[in-house]
Amino acid sequence: MPVALLLLLALSIAIRIDAEESSGVCDFKPGLKPRPHSVSILEFGAVGDGKTLNTLAFQNAIFYLKSFTDKGGAQLYVPPGKWLTGSFSLTSHLTLFLEKGAVILGSQDPSHWDLVDPLPSYGRGIELPGKRYRSLINGDMLTDVVVTGDNGTIDGQGSVWWDWFESRSLNYSRPHLVEFTSSDHVVVSNLTFLNAPAYNIHPVYCSNVLVQNISVSAPGESPYTIGIVPDSSNNVCIEDSLIKVGYDAISLKSGWDEYGIAYDRPTQDVHIRRVYLQSSSGSSIAFGSEMSGGISNVYVEQVYLYNSFSGIEFRTTKGRGGYIKRVIISNVELKNINMAFGAIGDCGSHPDDSFDPNAIPILDQITLQNVIGSNITTAGNFTGLAESPFTSICLFNVSLTIPATSTSWTCSNVIGFSELVSPEPCPELNSSYSNSSSICYSILNSYGKSVNL
């Protein structure tokens, strides 16, 4: 982790473009206060040999610590060792602290992972109809909960889950490493996450979420492993982190087709900064394709995207409904990327046959500025919907190094404006359409003063 932080420091210096300091969610995050009570997992009979199952020890410890929720809260301390466990739930006003050398290992026996109902905004498991496996560390309807440490590790031992997924032998959708639902004031920090069965960190229906100073890693060939997934959540800060996974590094979502439309909980007011992202088969930063509750007011700055199939991608399709709008992405460096930018209107599947094909999504007011890229195969693919073209796609000060034999841009059903962009974008993004240009300049001028989410 110290090496990671040095890289991030170098990144923030290397790609910073002179501008007035902006402000966003990350600038208003609260400080963490120490808990007045603390116990060790050892006091509940846990054995850190990597073989003994400690699920009951974690459950008993957390049940005991519930008694301190009205006394300032408590900390569960995990010392160095390898602590094998199935899924367990946290409680409010709790800090789970992993000491340096502490490794929480997810059991490779699926019977050690509880089954839970699908999320209401999805209507079914993401991968299979019906129930899903509960995440390794989880919490529902909590407030003031912290998962942190001195660079301790949470290892999902996901290889068996990847094999089962690829062989189609699973009966339920794969679990995640950490998931909070309907919770407020959530912090995940100072940890290493390895080998998640699917997602690493999944806040859903949450408010005031801070993910800070973490390292996430899964093999490039691991199927659909994702780093951080803010899902129908608001006031989210993600900063100072390194993520290398099989699919998307950071993916913003908000529900799936008719279920997401009915649940109607958007993802909004998200701030992402100083992150170092790699995604082997997906996108370093993705929006959707499950975005039926809407995604808006997202600010991304000072990011380094490398060795990825796609740099930044917006995904949706007919039947989603919802919107992706008011997104500003600034001060970006890309290196060794197949496609720098994408906005695709026919991406993603449906949960069932009950989706409404007339639920047409909206993509509007997307700004990409101060971007440099080297060894880029394709600059961008912006393919909107004939029924709902993507509008106000704004590109300012973008310089990408593209092989002479490559196709630079592909555009259809999109209206935008560009200035100081190389290679020259397609006519749809070089439009003199007055409304689009005025909106783009308005956004740019707003950024020059401050960005308030």
Side-chain angles (χ1 to χ4, degrees):
M1 185 63 75
V3 173
L5 289 177
L6 287 173
L7 286 171
L8 284 166
L9 178 61
L11 164 66
S12 67
I13 295 172
I15 68 174
R16 181 163 182 82
I17 309 264
D18 288 337
E20 290 187 32
E21 188 68 23
S22 58
S23 61
V25 174
C26 292
D27 295 301
F28 303 100
K29 57 185 181 291
L32 296 181
K33 296 180 180 179
R35 305 291 188 187
H37 310 280
S38 181
V39 296
S40 169
I41 193 65
L42 292 172
E43 298 175 46
F44 297 86
V47 180
D49 60 2
K51 300 177 181 178
T52 303
L53 189 67
N54 295 294
T55 311
L56 187 59
F58 279 103
Q59 292 172 341
N60 287 342
I62 292 163
F63 180 79
Y64 168 74
L65 293 175
K66 284 183 180 180
S67 63
F68 296 97
T69 55
D70 60 349
K71 302 178 180 67
Q75 173 179 278
L76 177 57
Y77 175 79
V78 182
K82 294 183 178 180
W83 310 93
L84 182 69
T85 181
S87 56
F88 61 91
S89 300
L90 303 182
T91 190
S92 294
H93 307 294
L94 175 74
T95 296
L96 176 64
F97 186 95
L98 279 67
E99 186 59 83
K100 184 176 182 179
V103 182
I104 291 180
L105 294 172
S107 171
Q108 293 185 315
D109 183 342
S111 69
H112 297 155
W113 302 66
D114 300 334
L115 291 174
V116 293
D117 290 332
L119 293 165
S121 58
Y122 287 81
R124 49 159 279 183
I126 283 288
E127 296 162 347
L128 293 165
K131 297 190 177 225
R132 60 196 184 103
Y133 285 103
R134 188 191 296 274
S135 299
L136 182 65
I137 300 171
N138 58 84
D140 179 53
M141 298 183 69
L142 304 183
T143 186
D144 178 27
V145 59
V146 179
V147 181
T148 189
D150 183 14
N151 197 28
T153 299
I154 300 173
D155 186 345
Q157 300 196 106
S159 59
V160 293
W161 297 96
W162 308 332
D163 292 342
W164 293 330
F165 174 81
E166 292 188 315
S167 64
R168 300 187 176 183
S169 56
L170 286 169
N171 295 319
Y172 307 99
S173 295
R174 290 175 294 172
H176 313 311
L177 283 187
V178 174
E179 179 180 78
F180 291 101
T181 56
S182 304
S183 296
D184 184 32
H185 291 98
V186 174
V187 177
V188 180
S189 66
N190 303 327
L191 293 171
T192 294
F193 293 84
L194 301 175
N195 305 314
Y199 303 170
N200 283 267
I201 301 169
H202 187 211
V204 56
Y205 321 139
C206 289
S207 299
N208 303 306
V209 177
L210 170 62
V211 181
Q212 179 186 59
N213 194 26
I214 66 164
S215 174
V216 176
S217 181
E221 65 275 11
S222 57
Y224 294 97
T225 52
I226 304 182
I228 305 170
V229 185
D231 195 344
S232 293
S233 294
N234 64 286
N235 291 334
V236 178
C237 170
I238 302 169
E239 65 179 4
D240 300 327
S241 297
L242 284 82
I243 303 173
K244 299 192 304 179
V245 290
Y247 196 53
D248 296 336
I250 297 175
S251 182
L252 286 73
K253 301 179 181 291
S254 67
W256 202 4
D257 285 6
E258 69 270 27
Y259 302 104
I261 293 171
Y263 198 81
D264 194 24
R265 173 76 188 260
T267 286
Q268 60 187 10
D269 302 330
V270 179
H271 190 184
I272 300 168
R273 67 180 181 184
R274 300 192 303 263
V275 290
Y276 198 91
L277 308 177
Q278 176 184 348
S279 67
S280 295
S281 63
S283 185
S284 296
I285 301 175
F287 296 75
S289 73
E290 301 88 358
M291 40 62 71
S292 300
I295 300 172
S296 67
N297 295 351
V298 179
Y299 179 40
V300 181
E301 63 172 334
Q302 299 180 54
V303 297
Y304 183 75
L305 318 178
Y306 71 108
N307 297 351
S308 297
F309 182 79
S310 176
I312 299 163
E313 192 165 13
F314 303 86
R315 307 173 184 143
T316 188
T317 192
K318 294 179 185 178
R320 288 289 191 267
Y323 53 82
I324 303 174
K325 61 185 181 180
R326 295 195 299 274
V327 176
I328 297 176
I329 301 176
S330 180
N331 296 357
V332 181
E333 183 174 351
L334 305 101
K335 186 174 183 179
N336 303 329
I337 305 287
N338 180 62
M339 180 176 67
F341 312 122
I344 313 299
D346 61 351
C347 180
S349 60
H350 303 283
D352 51 41
D353 293 332
S354 298
F355 73 94
D356 179 4
N358 295 316
I360 304 299
I362 294 171
L363 190 73
D364 181 51
Q365 295 184 48
I366 309 297
T367 299
L368 304 166
Q369 71 162 350
N370 298 341
V371 180
I372 57 174
S374 59
N375 195 24
I376 310 298
T377 303
T378 300
N381 180 353
F382 293 85
T383 305
L385 298 167
E387 302 87 340
S388 179
F390 298 161
T391 53
S392 298
I393 308 300
C394 311
L395 282 68
F396 292 98
N397 192 24
V398 176
S399 178
L400 305 174
T401 302
I402 307 275
T405 56
S406 295
T407 301
S408 298
W409 302 89
T410 300
C411 301
S412 64
N413 297 311
V414 59
I415 299 170
F417 179 80
S418 61
E419 185 176 85
L420 299 175
V421 175
S422 175
E424 183 175 349
C426 45
E428 294 90 337
L429 296 176
N430 208 1
S431 173
S432 58
Y433 177 60
S434 60
N435 189 45
S436 181
S437 61
S438 63
I439 291 173
C440 289
Y441 275 119
S442 175
I443 295 170
L444 182 65
N445 291 334
S446 174
Y447 173 78
K449 297 174 184 176
S450 66
V451 176
N452 293 305
L453 297 181

